[in-house]
Amino acid sequence: MSGGIHEEFREYVVARGPVLLRAARQLTGHPSDAEDLLQAALFKTYLAWDRIHDRAALDAYVRRAMVNINISWWRRRKLEEYPAAEIPEPVLLGGSDHLPEQVEQALDRLPVRMRTAVVLRYYEDMTEPEIARALGISVGTVKSTVSRAMARLRGDLTIPEQRQLEHQR
């Protein structure tokens, strides 16, 4: 690349770098991974600089490169968790003797809509469309509400030390 093109690329990176880094953080969720992703995308952009005639589309080019690279990295990453034949039960506070009371207390701590959705789904054995009609919400909202509620319940029913270990991973 000639000095003029190199300078033009450098000016682009200086001007647009912070915005592109925010986009990379949104893709990766981690600051250091975002920096690596942006660096790789800018390298590809630098190599293609002569072929990019529409300078107004540079951000779109870099973002598309980041998405493609991120997908490629995601596909190549080594699985750190492997599926198991059986799903382990969470370790409960105070042992399993008090399970019904612990579940009741955990349900009582849920917001009304979450608690209602869980009760209708698992206690009344209603389908998601039936719950949606009963609550006047969409099926998608039922699914997400029940999913978030179950995640909260699982978190409430684990030992505090186990929660700390899970958050450190």
Side-chain angles (χ1 to χ4, degrees):
M1 281 192 165
S2 67
I5 294 174
H6 176 73
E7 184 61 26
E8 185 182 4
F9 179 76
R10 188 190 72 70
E11 288 174 6
Y12 170 73
V13 172
V14 168
R16 301 301 296 160
V19 172
L20 295 169
L21 184 57
R22 280 194 299 274
R25 282 191 187 124
Q26 290 174 339
L27 285 170
T28 64
H30 297 92
S32 60
D33 292 342
E35 291 171 0
D36 292 342
L37 179 62
L38 179 57
Q39 186 75 21
L42 288 173
F43 177 72
K44 285 187 177 258
T45 305
Y46 183 80
L47 294 177
W49 195 258
D50 290 335
R51 297 187 313 266
I52 304 171
H53 300 294
D54 183 8
R55 296 295 191 227
L58 282 170
D59 281 5
Y61 184 93
V62 175
R63 283 190 174 101
R64 173 48 47 193
M66 285 192 294
V67 168
N68 291 343
I69 292 166
N70 196 44
I71 289 169
S72 177
W73 288 353
W74 178 76
R75 286 179 179 157
R76 275 191 240 142
R77 87 169 182 223
K78 189 176 171 181
L79 284 177
E80 295 176 6
E81 296 179 12
Y82 298 95
E86 295 179 23
I87 298 175
E89 291 295 324
V91 179
L92 302 175
L93 293 170
S96 60
D97 298 341
H98 304 288
L99 179 60
E101 293 124 21
Q102 290 173 341
V103 171
E104 281 297 319
Q105 291 168 358
L107 276 170
D108 288 342
R109 288 189 292 270
L110 289 177
V112 174
R113 182 189 235 176
M114 283 184 174
R115 182 174 53 247
T116 304
V118 168
V119 168
L120 292 176
R121 179 73 183 102
Y122 296 105
Y123 284 72
E124 300 298 324
D125 202 28
M126 290 174 70
T127 65
E128 290 159 345
E130 291 170 337
I131 297 168
R133 278 192 300 279
L135 297 180
I137 57 178
S138 71
V139 173
T141 303
V142 170
K143 290 179 181 182
S144 64
T145 302
V146 170
S147 176
R148 287 192 323 269
M150 294 305 292
R152 270 201 196 174
L153 289 172
R154 282 185 208 101
D156 272 1
L157 294 173
T158 56
I159 296 175
E161 293 84 19
Q162 183 180 354
R163 271 188 242 148
Q164 285 179 335
L165 289 174
E166 289 173 359
H167 289 302
Q168 292 172 356
R169 287 187 206 168

